[in-house]
Amino acid sequence: MVNIGIRISAVTTLLAAGVGGYAPAAQAQPAARAHPARAQPAAHRGDLVSVEDVSTRTPTQVSAFLTSAGIDSAQVRYGVRGYRLTYRTITPQGSRTTATGLLVLPDDGRHTRLDLVADTHGTMVDRDYAPSVGEDDGRLSPYLHASAGRAVAAPDYLGLGKGPGRHPYMDTASAVSASLDMLRATRTAARELGRPLTGDVYGTGFSQGGQVAMALGRALSRGADTHFRLKALAPVSGPYDIAGQELPALFDGRVNDTSGVLYMAYWLTAQNRLRPLYGDTGNAFREPYARVVEELLDSHHTTEEVLGALPGTVQEMLTPEFYARLQHPRGALLDALRDNDHTCDWKPDVPVRLYTASGDTDVPIGNTLSCARQLAAHGKKAPVADQGAVGHDGAFKKSVPRIVRLFDSVAGTAQYQLFCCQKFQAPHGLP
């Protein structure tokens, strides 16, 4: 359905080897502490509720963290400081709630205004893996971008991190509203921390977050908040075409069974809370899975625990009737697919590069090619950067350093044009 993030390849390997009960040891974390720069209680979307210190890393520590995950750390220039923000936002139904996210600032000893990277993460079933909580995969990209000199806002989304409730998985509208409100909270927090923002935003995200990045970019480009100016988009392996690519790939073998089981269980249970897909779980899931699937996906179980309690294939997990419905979706099921498949049908006025990998069996390359076609149909040419015969995780690991360089290039071009226009007026109004 979408992505599981960096952990899926390790889980697949363990399951294939017949190893059960695996759970990675949690890395020791310093206790978060409230920062002196704390906002007053607020009642509006994007208002900052609290700021907590969650990490401080030297350049050497950032490099070691990235290298241990297989990511090129050559672009690390600064240490980083991470903060958990709690802020006001809304539920999918429009009610008031709170969410959390990670703000990362470069520890460069300067007080200049910072450009902002909006970095949206991939699929996570355990709330404690969210960027603002776990020193885990969700911090790889934020740390690299911050160590290169930009502020980073990495929302946890609704129902993950320290936010209340369950995560409305693959509900694009609420993912965008929570991410946009995270940008607003970040603007306040960065100012209070002495590192105000320029207003320029560079959008990126991985897997589920790739889709969110495109949708958030569209919202910003349409003036969702005039404090922010979209400068570039560089998503990685997003499920941009669930109805036309991701779901068919589940049945024709392009999506591996392990990922398919997790994504489908997560997506169905989350979407059923938002619309009438099947009602009682027994109408979609076979026993004994119907009795346990909702509890498994309550945001307090790890990926390993979820997969360990579910079968090896989607066909084994679902009733024959519902399995057949998925192959020919209609009604509310088709609406759930299509409502989240419009993140690329617009024309960005900024540079866009789509990253993917031909070897990806979580979110097959067809999703990215479909996105490129949709953008082209609206008059926007978006190059596709195929990272080759690597998997989902490999696409992410190879792409993140390239995205940093892309953002550096876009920022450098903008600064050069500003310098030229201010110092040397072109004749006859030419650029």
Side-chain angles (χ1 to χ4, degrees):
M1 194 58 48
V2 271
N3 52 69
I4 183 176
I6 303 299
R7 293 184 174 274
I8 189 65
S9 60
V11 174
T12 305
T13 302
L14 286 162
L15 291 177
V19 179
Y22 171 78
Q27 186 169 341
Q29 290 295 300
R33 63 182 180 85
H35 197 273
R38 179 167 178 161
Q40 296 299 315
H44 303 289
R45 283 186 54 184
D47 280 347
L48 187 63
V49 176
S50 65
V51 180
E52 297 174 276
D53 292 322
V54 293
S55 66
T56 300
R57 299 288 178 265
T58 67
T60 299
Q61 290 172 326
V62 173
S63 293
F65 181 56
L66 295 168
T67 301
S68 67
I71 296 177
D72 181 5
S73 63
Q75 292 160 285
V76 172
R77 298 198 295 272
Y78 311 114
V80 300
R81 292 182 180 272
Y83 306 88
R84 180 187 304 126
L85 308 187
T86 301
Y87 61 96
R88 305 288 183 183
T89 188
I90 55 173
T91 68
Q93 295 77 25
S95 300
R96 292 180 179 179
T97 189
T98 59
T100 55
L102 178 71
L103 165 62
V104 189
L105 299 174
D107 194 10
D108 55 7
R110 299 184 293 176
H111 297 282
T112 54
R113 289 158 60 86
L114 296 167
D115 291 349
L116 179 65
V117 174
D119 194 340
T120 45
H121 67 73
T123 299
M124 295 177 179
V125 300
D126 185 346
R127 62 173 53 246
D128 289 339
Y129 285 147
S132 82
V133 179
E135 185 78 354
D136 214 278
D137 304 326
R139 292 188 180 179
L140 291 167
S141 180
Y143 278 7
L144 181 56
H145 283 286
S147 72
R150 294 182 180 87
V152 182
D156 294 335
Y157 307 145
L158 297 178
L160 296 173
K162 299 296 184 181
R166 292 194 177 195
H167 175 48
Y169 182 54
M170 288 303 295
D171 178 52
T172 307
S174 63
V176 169
S177 63
S179 298
L180 180 61
D181 291 339
M182 173 67 185
L183 298 188
R184 292 165 172 150
T186 293
R187 180 170 173 264
T188 301
R191 182 179 65 246
E192 293 187 0
L193 292 166
R195 300 305 305 271
L197 305 178
T198 65
D200 290 347
V201 177
Y202 297 78
T204 188
F206 172 52
S207 201
Q208 177 190 6
Q211 186 217 48
V212 176
M214 287 300 298
L216 177 61
R218 180 175 59 187
L220 291 173
S221 74
R222 294 178 176 177
D225 191 310
T226 56
H227 288 108
F228 299 110
R229 300 175 297 273
L230 184 67
K231 304 299 290 186
L233 281 170
V236 183
S237 298
Y240 314 108
D241 188 1
I242 303 175
Q245 292 292 330
E246 189 69 22
L247 188 60
L250 188 70
F251 300 109
D252 65 22
R254 284 178 290 152
V255 172
N256 70 79
D257 287 337
T258 302
S259 298
V261 166
L262 183 88
Y263 300 158
M264 184 55 67
Y266 203 6
W267 185 77
L268 286 175
T269 54
Q271 292 294 316
N272 192 56
R273 293 193 294 272
L274 300 175
R275 64 186 81 215
L277 291 192
Y278 53 79
D280 185 83
T281 54
N283 294 326
F285 294 86
R286 296 176 188 258
E287 294 294 355
Y289 315 116
R291 294 196 301 269
V292 299
V293 66
E294 286 282 356
E295 181 181 351
L296 285 170
L297 291 162
D298 63 355
S299 82
H300 296 289
H301 289 77
T302 66
T303 299
E304 294 79 14
E305 289 170 337
V306 173
L307 289 173
L310 295 177
T313 68
V314 172
Q315 189 169 11
E316 293 174 273
M317 180 175 67
L318 301 178
T319 66
E321 295 78 13
F322 198 82
Y323 186 75
R325 278 187 60 193
L326 280 178
Q327 296 179 70
H328 304 283
R330 63 184 184 277
L333 185 58
L334 184 59
D335 290 342
L337 297 169
R338 288 179 172 171
D339 285 354
N340 296 292
D341 274 351
H342 298 285
T343 58
C344 298
D345 59 352
W346 59 294
K347 184 181 179 180
D349 293 325
V350 300
V352 179
R353 183 162 297 173
L354 305 173
Y355 293 80
T356 184
S358 54
D360 193 337
T361 63
D362 283 55
V363 184
I365 192 173
N367 283 277
T368 299
L369 298 178
S370 180
C371 181
R373 287 192 295 268
Q374 289 183 50
L375 290 168
H378 286 78
K380 179 64 178 183
K381 183 177 181 181
V384 173
D386 182 357
Q387 307 297 356
V390 296
H392 199 49
D393 302 348
F396 170 80
K397 293 174 182 179
K398 293 182 69 173
S399 297
V400 172
R402 291 166 168 81
I403 293 169
V404 173
R405 291 196 291 271
L406 173 66
F407 290 170
D408 284 345
S409 174
V410 172
T413 299
Q415 290 168 358
Y416 173 76
Q417 291 174 340
L418 178 63
F419 174 79
C420 287
C421 293
Q422 288 178 335
K423 299 291 289 185
F424 309 105
Q425 293 294 326
H428 309 297
L430 296 175

